[in-house]
Amino acid sequence: MKVSLHRKNNAVHFEASSELSPIKVNIDGSEAIGGEGKGVRPMELVLMALGSCSVFDLYSILQKQRQDIQDIQVEVEGKRRDEVPNVFTNIHINFYLKGNIDELKAHKAAELAVKKYCSVHDMLAAGGIDITYSIKIN
């Protein structure tokens, strides 16, 4: 897998692309380093990667269990240490499910999705980050 970042201004706005997709992602830094709010920040991308990796697997598992999934939303919140580098110390994933979904199956599916199948989780957890999750079904 290979990605490329191309500078888009005289500051820290970059456009990222992957050899696997034609989609472009705008990335920018904080105002403190010249960012202009033209993209997401790198640490936000880490949270987005964890959330998307987990929810893809959760959705797939629930589909295989023939659960009636009308909607899934995900919120991921990370706490960072004060010292530089400001790495994440704790991350919590909130899954919001809507539909006719068995609660026990949803919890088991989330456990598998987050802790067994999500490679982003494993990579971050190996770095000492405490990752938790919760599920709410409507």
Side-chain angles (χ1 to χ4, degrees), residues 54-71:
S54 298
V55 78
F56 291 172
D57 292 325
L58 176 59
Y59 179 75
S60 177
I61 294 166
L62 290 173
Q63 269 195 318
K64 288 176 185 171
Q65 294 175 341
R66 299 176 192 240
Q67 298 299 295
D68 176 28
I69 309 159
Q70 296 169 7
D71 194 21

Side-chain angles (χ1 to χ4, degrees), residues 6 21-23 30 40 80 138:
H6 299 279
S21 170
I23 304 299
S30 68
V40 294
R80 297 170 70 179
N138 289 332

Side-chain angles (χ1 to χ4, degrees), residues 124-136:
L124 295 171
I129 300 170
D130 180 34
I131 301 172
T132 57
Y133 65 90
S134 62
I135 296 178
K136 293 182 183 164

Side-chain angles (χ1 to χ4, degrees), residues 93-131:
I93 308 166
N94 288 303
F95 296 107
Y96 300 96
L97 308 176
K98 183 177 179 183
N100 187 13
I101 301 166
D102 180 280
E103 190 170 345
L104 209 52
K105 288 183 179 185
H107 283 281
K108 182 169 174 122
E111 178 80 13
L112 290 169
V114 174
K115 296 191 174 181
K116 183 174 181 180
Y117 296 117
C118 178
S119 54
V120 177
H121 167 276
D122 288 358
M123 193 170 52
L124 295 171
I129 300 170
D130 180 34
I131 301 172

Side-chain angles (χ1 to χ4, degrees), residues 29-50:
S30 68
E31 289 180 9
I33 62 168
E36 299 174 341
K38 295 184 176 178
V40 294
R41 295 182 186 178
M43 294 301 276
E44 292 171 319
L45 288 169
V46 172
L47 296 179
M48 290 177 190
L50 177 61

